[in-house]
Amino acid sequence: MEEQRTPELHGVLGAEQAADLPYQRSTLNTARAVSRGAALAGAALGAVGLTGWVSGLEVLRRLPGAGATMDANTTVALLALGASLFVSALAPARGRVPVGLVAAARAAAVLGSLIGGLTLVQYLTGTSLGIDELVVEDDAAPPAGMVRGRMAANTALALTIAGVAALCASLTRLPAWTSQVPGLVVLALGMLRLYGFTYAVPELERFGLYKGMALYSGLALMLLGASALLVRPDEGPASLLTNAGTTGALGRRLFATVLVAPPLLGWLVLAGEDAGLFGTRLSTALLVFGHVIVFGAVVFAVLTVGRRVEVAHARAEWQVRQNELLQAFMDHTPAVLFIKDLDGRFLAVNTTFEESLGLPAERVLGRRDQDVLPPDLARQARAADLDMLAGGEPLQREQRLALPQGPRDFLTSLFPLSTASGKPYAVGGVVTDITEQVAAQREVRQASRRFVALLESAPDALLITNGQGAVVMANAQVQRMFGRAPADLLGAAVVDLVPGPARQRHSALLRAYLGQEHPKPIVVDRGLYGLRGDGGEFPVEVSVSSLQAEEETLVFLTVRDITERRQVEAERAERYEEHRRIAYTLQHSLMGEPPRLRGLPTAHRYLASVQDPGVGGDWFDVVPLGRDRTGIVVGDVMGRGLEAAAVMGQLRAASHALARTGVSPSGLMTGLDAFVGDLADQLVTCVYMVIDQGTHEVTVSSAGHLPVVLLPPGEAARRLQAPVGVPLGVNDSCGSGVPFRQTTQPLPAGSALALYTDGLVERPGTDIEAQIDILTHTLDTALKDVPPEAESLERAVDQLIGALIPDTAVHDDDVTLLLVGLPESRG
């Protein structure tokens, strides 16, 4: 019976209170032991009395001075009832006692009840059924009006009720009170006989004038009543005394007080009266006072226990609240949560557990794994519980289960729930569906394998370092390039692969790169060298990129051996330099060196483009025309390179020849235009002026060229106003088109002129007009209050180049600048 009630008890008490079940079981076992002992003692008194009848020993049938003798029928009934109650008390769970023995116990209970019941019938009807001396013949003379061998009426009543109690105790389907209430009545009848003997009150030994009950019978009936009360101590009224809670402890104390204190006080009062210490009224007062004292002490004891009950109740309420919070937490947890006892019964589950099994909690609590889970899964779950309990430590396991909706992966965590002493009383479990996490981990592993394969298939050496420059991964190409195994590099500083003198610079470059807020991938191929295992050095190109992985910065270094590239570049640079020298020589041979004319100082600069082999289409020429007349021409063939230089050479020769014929500036432009028209896809700007030193005049004609800058003496520099025609090569080759015009303007002595090509003033992202203004202002500053002589013109040329071309090493267009001075005559 206990085993079947345990799940219910677990459900009521909860997991933590279920830890007190051993104490509860101990209390119940003690009560059953008392029941068996009392039954045996009662049966033993019956056996002693029967032995007295068989052997003829009076002392075994009647205690000296105790009045009536225990009749033979009484001894048989007591023996049968004691045996019956003993057998019933042997069975803490249904079905444990053999069926035959249970049947014998019931028969014994019926026998005892019949003996008492038939005797009562004789008393009530005044007839004799012939049962009084059925066992042994009574040779003693009966009292007046009594029948020989017939037991006392109160004894017959007690035996009848005791038989009913013993029979109900053996019928476990009946409520427990059906045996316990009759047992209390039997106990009370036996106590009356004991009180009558103790207080010397014969009236308590009998009913009216009938025969009195033997003292042995009273003692036996008390024992049988107690046994009937405690046969089933976990049910009915007896459970109020035997439960492990506060009410059980309080009930036991009160019951013991009731059984002991009043009889003891009464005996003391009667003993005082018999000794003549006080009279009846005083004895009554003392009896009342004694009861007040005793029950006052009981009241304080009850109050103490009641206070403990209040505290326990408050704690229980707090525990209930905690349990409610725990259950709410469990119900809102997406994982499956459960708690089982040590036998595998479910004590608590959450809603996720119910949803996963499709069963309400009422159909799960109190049942084992095999009652709610599929057989295979139930066996695995129980084995896992036992493994965890055997180890005494939390246990985790992953498993893949085939469910109706498809295979799923689960992570099960099992852990013991222990008492304060560390003894486990339950098993807690958390089951989490980790299918997505497992799939993600599988994908990560696949991605990792693909990454490693990609890393190893790269033709270059790949190194991955952390933010401190320590190598965390390297591919197989490192072995071929540096002569060091990838495994040997793990944890080493990446600068160990750099020649010693360059390590500090390499470390500084890496720190500077990582110090950027958002570092972008870069390629560095200048001044970087690698170090082989044998100490050899070789030039490398390094691609650097970074990745912020969680809280760590990873640096990816792709290293390529560029030894062959450097050799090819060196050879190419050597050939380029050779071609550049040839082209530069050609350029200067085509341009020639302008003559130094007396009375007309000049200064010039020619800067070749850095993007071409030093040649371009710019040219200038100074042509002596006689009679103090000088022709000056500046031109620019669109484009760069050898083709532009070749066209420039032809135009310089043509313009020089035409100028020597004395043709006017506009006529020279017309002739050059026809010449350029014969060349395919050429476009040329040009300006030609004739300076007449005798008349102090200058005649100018422009074919789409930039304006000439004039610095008159004592005035600010300005642009020379002259008509600008179309560039050469624009007009139709048949002679029709826009005519070229010329203008003649005064040119005072002491003036200076600046002629130039677009390479000087044209820059991407700048306004060419603003650049010409800078040139004008710089010329004005350089030659202000300074006579335009050779030395001053040279200084002015340098200032103009510095102001307009800050870095000539990276200039991407050829530049021509010519300054012409007209000094004042010195007589």
Side-chain angles (χ1 to χ4, degrees), residues 236-396:
S239 64
L240 299 176
L241 299 175
T242 59
N243 72 80
T246 306
T247 56
L250 181 61
R252 289 190 293 273
R253 290 181 175 88
L254 290 176
F255 196 72
T257 302
V258 168
L259 291 177
V260 175
L264 180 61
L265 289 174
W267 179 81
L268 290 175
V269 169
L270 291 176
E273 288 182 359
D274 293 341
L277 298 177
F278 41 76
T280 304
R281 297 182 65 84
L282 179 58
S283 65
T284 303
L286 290 175
L287 180 62
V288 171
F289 178 73
H291 278 82
V292 170
I293 296 299
V294 171
F295 285 101
V298 171
V299 167
F300 280 103
V302 170
L303 290 176
T304 302
V305 175
R307 179 55 183 164
R308 293 177 182 174
V309 171
E310 290 180 351
V311 173
H313 180 69
R315 291 177 179 174
E317 287 184 342
W318 181 86
Q319 186 63 49
V320 169
R321 178 58 180 163
Q322 294 302 309
N323 291 341
E324 291 175 350
L325 294 175
L326 176 61
Q327 187 64 48
F329 169 78
M330 291 173 60
D331 289 339
H332 287 83
T333 300
V336 171
L337 300 181
F338 61 83
I339 300 175
K340 306 180 200 174
D341 64 12
L342 300 183
D343 295 327
R345 294 185 179 91
F346 287 97
L347 302 177
V349 296
N350 67 343
T351 54
T352 307
F353 187 101
E354 301 176 45
E355 294 170 357
S356 62
L357 291 183
L359 295 174
E362 293 76 13
R363 296 181 58 186
V364 176
L365 298 180
R367 290 176 170 82
R368 292 185 173 91
D369 293 317
Q370 61 266 27
D371 300 326
V372 296
L373 299 177
D376 292 341
L377 184 58
R379 285 193 294 271
Q380 296 177 20
R382 186 55 183 164
D385 294 346
L386 295 177
D387 289 344
M388 186 276 295
L389 290 173
E393 298 291 335
L395 177 67
Q396 276 194 343

Side-chain angles (χ1 to χ4, degrees), residues 626-642:
R627 293 184 302 175
D628 295 328
R629 296 174 68 247
T630 304
I632 298 176
V633 60
V634 173
D636 184 2
V637 179
M638 299 301 170
R640 291 189 292 269
L642 293 176

Side-chain angles (χ1 to χ4, degrees), residues 478-503:
V478 171
Q479 176 76 40
R480 177 185 59 80
M481 183 175 296
F482 293 97
R484 298 181 62 178
D488 296 339
L489 291 176
L490 298 182
V494 73
V495 293
D496 292 346
L497 300 175
V498 177
R503 289 177 183 174

Side-chain angles (χ1 to χ4, degrees), residues 735-772:
S736 61
V738 180
F740 295 98
R741 296 179 296 165
Q742 65 182 36
T743 182
T744 300
Q745 296 184 21
L747 186 63
S751 298
L753 296 169
L755 296 87
Y756 51 93
T757 58
D758 60 358
L760 181 66
V761 294
E762 192 174 23
R763 298 284 182 282
T766 61
D767 184 4
I768 192 170
E769 294 295 328
Q771 293 293 99
I772 295 175

Side-chain angles (χ1 to χ4, degrees), residues 5 98 102 107 110 181 184 195 251 357 480 560 570 579 590 599 621 640 664 680 787 826:
R5 289 189 294 272
V102 173
V110 172
V181 171
L184 287 173
Y195 290 168
L357 291 183
R480 177 185 59 80
R560 177 173 297 176
H579 292 165
L590 291 175
D621 197 4
R640 291 189 292 269
S664 65
R826 297 182 181 178

Side-chain angles (χ1 to χ4, degrees), residues 121-280:
V121 170
Q122 292 181 133
Y123 275 110
L124 294 174
T125 60
T127 61
S128 176
L129 299 178
I131 63 171
D132 296 322
E133 294 181 293
L134 187 63
V135 177
V136 177
E137 182 178 354
D138 188 357
D139 55 356
M146 297 291 105
V147 179
R148 188 188 305 273
R150 181 173 296 180
M151 70 179 69
N154 53 351
T155 303
L157 176 62
L159 289 175
T160 303
I161 297 175
V164 172
L167 181 61
C168 292
S170 66
L171 298 173
T172 55
R173 293 184 179 180
L174 294 178
W177 64 267
T178 58
S179 63
Q180 293 172 359
V181 171
L184 287 173
V185 173
V186 172
L187 177 64
L189 292 174
M191 289 177 62
L192 278 176
R193 177 63 182 91
L194 181 62
Y195 290 168
F197 173 77
T198 304
Y199 300 152
V201 181
E203 291 80 3
L204 296 179
E205 301 175 6
R206 63 175 64 91
F207 288 168
L209 299 175
Y210 292 114
K211 178 182 177 180
M213 180 188 297
L215 182 59
Y216 281 146
S217 299
L219 293 175
L221 289 173
M222 288 178 59
L223 293 170
L224 294 180
S227 177
L229 177 67
L230 298 176
V231 166
R232 290 158 66 177
D234 53 346
E235 299 179 68
S239 64
L240 299 176
L241 299 175
T242 59
N243 72 80
T246 306
T247 56
L250 181 61
R252 289 190 293 273
R253 290 181 175 88
L254 290 176
F255 196 72
T257 302
V258 168
L259 291 177
V260 175
L264 180 61
L265 289 174
W267 179 81
L268 290 175
V269 169
L270 291 176
E273 288 182 359
D274 293 341
L277 298 177
F278 41 76
T280 304

